[in-house]
Amino acid sequence: MLDADVITRTRIDEAELAEEPLLIADGLTKWYGRQLGCRDVSFELYAGEVLAVVGESGSGKSTLLQLLAGQLAMSSGRVLYRMRDGATRDLAILTEAERRLLFRTDWGFVQQDATLGLRMGVSAGGNVGERLMAVGWRHYGQIRHEAESWLDRVEIDPERIDETPRSFSGGMRQRLQIARNLVTAPRLVLMDEPTGGLDVSVQARLLDLLRRLVQDLGLAAIVVTHDLAVARLLSQRIMVMKGGRVIEQGLTDQVLDDPQQPYTQLLVSSVVPV
């Protein structure tokens, strides 16, 4: 079981395994009765890489993220993940205890609606501390100190550690959710429209924070967004989805600066220059 020493120790030397994907999605397909959610989506994600999945509402991008996170049962396909011991395993054959530990420690999930990713009746410190307790932290003083450190890191006044998220603004709730997810030093974070519903000025501040944290921590991330500016700022690679299928993918700048598919061209041309 992961403990406090594991969280604070140096990460596994990813350079030795750089040629091995961290995550492999193989033929992911989801049908809702006769309605297609997504079909035959395959890709590889490497350590420290950020992949953006873009498309209009109903394109299948959120379904894909839920399949990856185990929130939906797939109709076909598989998700493989390279564990901290270097072994690549099929998530479908993990025990429930293994799956729960993985999602509480090595993976993070940032919801668009922060109220779904936080315990609204628990203090800010408690929200962060719960993840630490899940990996074996037991000393109250150490947990509180680590929580204060992370609140400061995501630009929340540590003196508000005992307040509940109900007293926070939307942007603060999202930053608290980020702290809750990153405190256990995950290697992979899934983000579902992380800036959705926020004011433009709040979005800019949050994006800057996310970019810095992803770079500083060397995180791999999959970011679902309809906002191409978010994709350009955060990701190295991009997948464009339409009607449940991936229609174009590649390096973010290449795809956005020289889109090949008519649908991608339409998305890019619809972005109003600032």
Side-chain angles (χ1 to χ4, degrees):
M1 182 176 185
L2 295 176
D3 56 22
D5 292 334
V6 173
I7 298 304
T8 56
R9 71 174 172 80
T10 303
R11 291 178 180 272
I12 291 176
D13 186 5
E14 291 289 353
E16 297 179 359
L17 296 166
E19 71 281 4
E20 298 292 333
L22 180 66
L23 179 137
I24 301 171
D26 180 21
L28 298 190
T29 299
K30 176 63 179 179
W31 289 92
Y32 301 97
R34 294 184 177 180
Q35 182 179 355
L36 177 65
C38 66
R39 184 170 187 174
D40 199 26
V41 178
S42 299
F43 65 89
E44 295 179 349
L45 184 75
Y46 289 80
E49 184 179 33
V50 180
L51 171 69
V53 184
V54 303
E56 296 175 312
S57 178
S59 63
K61 59 187 188 298
S62 292
T63 293
L64 173 62
L65 198 69
Q66 289 176 299
L67 291 176
L68 293 170
Q71 296 175 356
L72 284 176
M74 62 188 71
S75 301
S76 62
R78 59 180 183 160
V79 178
L80 307 176
Y81 182 69
R82 178 160 52 79
M83 312 298 280
R84 286 183 182 248
D85 63 5
T88 298
R89 301 184 64 186
D90 187 335
L91 296 189
I93 63 175
L94 295 182
T95 66
E96 184 58 34
E98 289 175 325
R99 183 190 305 274
R100 192 163 53 244
L101 180 61
L102 177 68
F103 290 166
R104 288 179 178 176
T105 58
D106 218 31
W107 287 34
F109 193 110
V110 177
Q111 303 270 6
Q112 175 180 355
D113 182 355
T115 63
L116 300 177
L118 296 170
R119 293 187 61 186
M120 298 301 289
V122 174
S123 70
N127 268 281
V128 177
E130 279 185 341
R131 290 269 293 195
L132 293 173
M133 293 177 66
V135 296
W137 289 52
R138 292 293 179 264
H139 190 282
Y140 174 79
Q142 292 176 344
I143 292 173
R144 187 175 178 88
H145 176 75
E146 187 72 4
E148 288 176 335
S149 175
W150 266 97
L151 290 181
D152 184 61
R153 196 165 187 174
V154 298
E155 302 174 1
I156 296 175
D157 185 349
E159 292 188 1
R160 303 191 68 173
I161 189 171
D162 295 316
E163 296 182 33
T164 69
R166 291 195 180 100
S167 67
F168 290 176
S169 66
M172 288 178 64
R173 289 176 181 177
Q174 196 66 297
R175 298 200 303 276
L176 177 60
Q177 186 187 187
I178 290 168
R180 175 182 170 91
N181 276 275
L182 300 189
V183 70
T184 54
R187 294 186 296 157
L188 173 64
V189 179
L190 309 178
M191 304 184 194
D192 185 9
E193 300 280 7
T195 62
L198 299 176
D199 292 340
V200 174
S201 60
V202 178
Q203 287 184 19
R205 182 178 178 185
L206 183 62
L207 280 173
D208 183 62
L209 173 66
L210 281 172
R211 181 173 60 174
R212 284 190 285 108
L213 288 173
V214 166
Q215 291 176 345
D216 291 349
L217 299 174
L219 296 173
I222 299 174
V223 183
V224 161
T225 181
H226 69 279
D227 190 334
L228 299 186
V230 171
R232 188 185 288 275
L233 186 67
L234 293 181
S235 70
Q236 293 91 35
R237 283 199 301 126
I238 192 170
M239 290 197 321
V240 183
M241 294 191 69
K242 177 185 179 184
R245 294 174 172 84
V246 176
I247 63 165
E248 187 166 358
Q249 60 181 310
L251 296 177
T252 300
D253 286 343
Q254 286 184 346
V255 171
L256 295 184
D257 292 340
D258 186 23
Q260 300 300 302
Q261 296 297 318
Y263 176 74
T264 310
Q265 294 170 0
L266 181 62
L267 285 180
V268 172
S269 66
S270 68
V271 176
V272 179
V274 177

